[in-house]
Amino acid sequence: MIYLDNAATTRAKPPAVAQAVLEALSSYGNCGRGGHEGALSAARTIYGTREKIAALLGCPRADHVCFTQNSTQALNIAINGLMGPGDHILSTDWEHNSVLRPLYRLRERGAGVDFVPADKHGRLDYGAFQRMLRPETRAIVCTHASNLTGDTVDIAWVGRFAREHGLLLILDASQTAGVLPIDMTALGAGAVCFTGHKSLMGPQGTGGLCLREGLEVRPFAVGGTGVQSYSEAQPAEYPTRLEAGTLNGHGLAGLNAALDFLAETGPEAIHAHEDALARRFYGAVRDLPGVTVYGDFDTPVRAPIVTLNIGGLDSAGVSDELAERFDIATRPGAHCAPRLHRALGTEEQGAVRFSWSYFNTEAETDAAAEAVAVLAREAAEA
C-alpha cells in the first residue's frame, strides 16, 4: 500500500517506537503510584517525555506539559478550562471540529464566538481580527495549519496581535507539532495543544497541552492521581491537576522514542523531505484537466498536504478508486473542517486529501500523481 493519509495518522513509525511500546508493555507499572521498579521506570520515561516535548515546543517548564489521549481532549481542556460564559473568543474558518464543537458548546452556555472568515480560495481575512475585537474578548483559539489545505496561519502575526490586546492564545498544533518550528514562549502562547500520532510519529492515544506559567486551568476531569488522596479536590499542581486517572504509559514510551528519532533526524530535515514530496505531487497534478487543487502553494511554509477534486466526482468515489485500483490510501470527505469547506464551495463534494510523512518516497509520490492523471483522463472521457 502507498499510504498517503498521514495527516490523519502516520502509519509508518520509526522502528524504535514499536520496540519501546513492547518493552513498556512487559515492564511498566502504574506511573508514580508505587515505589517498585515497575512504577519508577514508567515515571522516569514519562517525565523524560515531558522534558522532550517542552524542549521541542518551547514550553517553559516540563511539569507544565500535561498529557492527554489526543489533541481533541487537550483542546477541550484548554477551551473549557480557561473560558466561560460572558467571555468572547476569536477563532477562524480553518478550524477542525476539535476546536469548533467546544466553542459552539461554550457559545450555548453564554460565551461569544466569532470566526475570522476565509474567502473562496481559503485565504483568511486577517483584518477581521481587529474588526471583531470586543471589550470582553478574552482569547484567540486557532489552528497552526489547516488539516484540509495544508496552508499555515501567520502565527507570528496572530501572536503579536494577541499580545498587543492582552488576549490568551490557544494554538492547535495537531498538524504541525514535530514538523514545523513552534516556540510557545517566543510566540507568547498560553497553551499549545498537540497529538502524538501525526507528525510526532508516536502511537495513537497520546497527546497533550503545554501551558505557560501562571495559567489557572479548571480541570476537565477529576479523579485518581496517586497523590493527595485524602483531598476532596483535584490537586492544584501541574501536571497532576489535568491528569486524572492512569496515564497511557505504554503509548508515552513510544512517543518518547519517536521524540528521540525527531531529535536525531532533525525536524528541519523531516519537513524538507515531506514538503519536497508534497510539492512534487502538486507540480504533477495542478494542471491536469478537470483537477482542482486547494490551498496556497506560493507560501514557503506549509504542512505536507495536497487536497484536490476531479471534476464533479464525489470525493469518496475518487478515494475508493485510488484504494481499490491503485492501492493508494487517501482521505475523502469533509475532514471535520465544515466552515472551510463552505468557503471553498466543496461542502457537498468534499475533497480528496493526500498527505506525506518522512517515510514516503518519490516513487510513491509519482505513482499517486499518475493515478490521479488516469482518473482525470477517464472522467474527461466519460
Side-chain angles (χ1 to χ4, degrees):
M1 175 190 290
I2 298 175
Y3 185 85
L4 295 176
D5 191 20
N6 294 286
T9 192
T10 49
R11 183 171 181 244
K13 311 288 187 184
V17 172
Q19 185 61 36
V21 173
L22 181 62
E23 291 176 2
L25 283 167
S26 61
S27 63
Y28 281 7
N30 195 321
C31 168
R33 301 183 188 183
H36 52 80
E37 183 55 31
L40 294 174
S41 59
R44 286 191 290 266
T45 295
I46 289 172
Y47 187 76
T49 309
R50 295 189 205 279
E51 291 182 310
K52 292 169 186 176
I53 288 287
L56 180 68
L57 301 181
C59 187
R61 294 178 53 160
D63 62 358
H64 279 46
V65 176
C66 304
F67 288 124
T68 63
Q69 294 180 4
N70 44 52
S71 56
T72 295
Q73 189 179 66
L75 286 159
N76 272 272
I77 290 170
I79 291 169
N80 289 283
L82 289 165
M83 289 166 285
D87 292 332
H88 177 244
I89 304 106
L90 293 175
S91 191
T92 82
D93 273 354
W94 285 13
E95 305 310 311
H96 187 276
N97 275 335
S98 56
V99 169
L100 295 177
R101 285 173 174 162
L103 289 179
Y104 292 150
R105 187 169 66 173
L106 200 59
R107 186 173 62 187
E108 291 173 356
R109 294 170 48 210
V113 184
D114 280 307
F115 297 94
V116 170
D119 66 15
K120 64 180 181 180
H121 303 291
R123 297 172 299 202
L124 288 176
D125 177 8
Y126 286 89
F129 280 98
Q130 183 67 50
R131 295 194 300 273
M132 291 176 171
L133 197 63
R134 302 183 194 173
E136 66 271 23
T137 304
R138 173 91 186 277
I140 297 173
V141 184
C142 74
T143 189
H144 190 187
S146 166
N147 75 306
L148 176 55
T149 65
D151 290 344
T152 53
V153 170
D154 186 347
I155 200 63
W157 187 95
V158 174
R160 285 193 301 272
F161 182 86
R163 293 193 300 273
E164 289 168 2
H165 296 281
L167 306 179
L168 178 68
L169 174 58
I170 299 173
L171 183 66
D172 176 7
S174 299
Q175 293 297 333
T176 56
V179 70
L180 293 181
I182 298 171
D183 185 337
M184 66 174 291
T185 299
L187 186 61
V192 172
C193 301
F194 63 92
T195 194
H197 67 101
K198 296 186 181 184
S199 291
L200 289 176
M201 293 187 278
Q204 295 176 355
T206 61
L209 63 166
C210 300
L211 299 170
R212 78 177 184 211
E213 293 188 77
L215 278 186
E216 295 292 326
V217 183
R218 296 184 297 274
F220 192 64
V222 296
T225 57
V227 297
Q228 300 181 32
S229 294
Y230 291 101
S231 172
E232 294 184 358
Q234 188 77 2
E237 297 79 13
Y238 293 113
T240 311
R241 176 197 287 234
L242 303 181
E243 292 181 348
T246 300
L247 289 174
N248 178 9
H250 307 132
L252 291 172
L255 181 59
N256 186 63
L259 290 165
D260 286 340
F261 176 83
L262 284 171
E264 293 163 5
T265 309
E268 299 85 0
I270 292 171
H271 177 251
H273 176 73
E274 295 175 355
D275 185 63
L277 294 180
R279 291 180 187 273
R280 182 185 183 97
F281 177 82
Y282 170 71
V285 303
R286 63 183 175 183
D287 295 324
L288 292 173
V291 172
T292 301
V293 181
Y294 306 97
D296 181 5
F297 287 82
D298 291 329
T299 184
V301 180
R302 51 180 292 107
I305 291 171
V306 180
T307 302
L308 57 80
N309 274 317
I310 299 175
L313 298 179
D314 179 71
S315 62
V318 173
S319 188
D320 286 347
E321 287 285 293
L322 289 167
E324 293 171 8
R325 292 174 54 186
F326 303 98
D327 202 23
I328 298 171
T330 59
R331 177 62 59 92
H335 307 279
C336 292
R339 298 185 71 93
L340 185 50
H341 273 287
R342 293 186 191 113
L344 294 172
T346 56
E347 189 174 5
E348 296 300 321
Q349 186 179 15
V352 184
R353 185 183 66 194
F354 300 74
S355 50
W356 284 260
S357 84
Y358 183 71
F359 295 103
N360 287 123
T361 66
E362 289 184 350
E364 291 176 325
T365 301
D366 293 344
E370 178 55 33
V372 171
V374 169
L375 296 179
R377 285 196 299 271
E378 292 176 353
E381 293 167 359

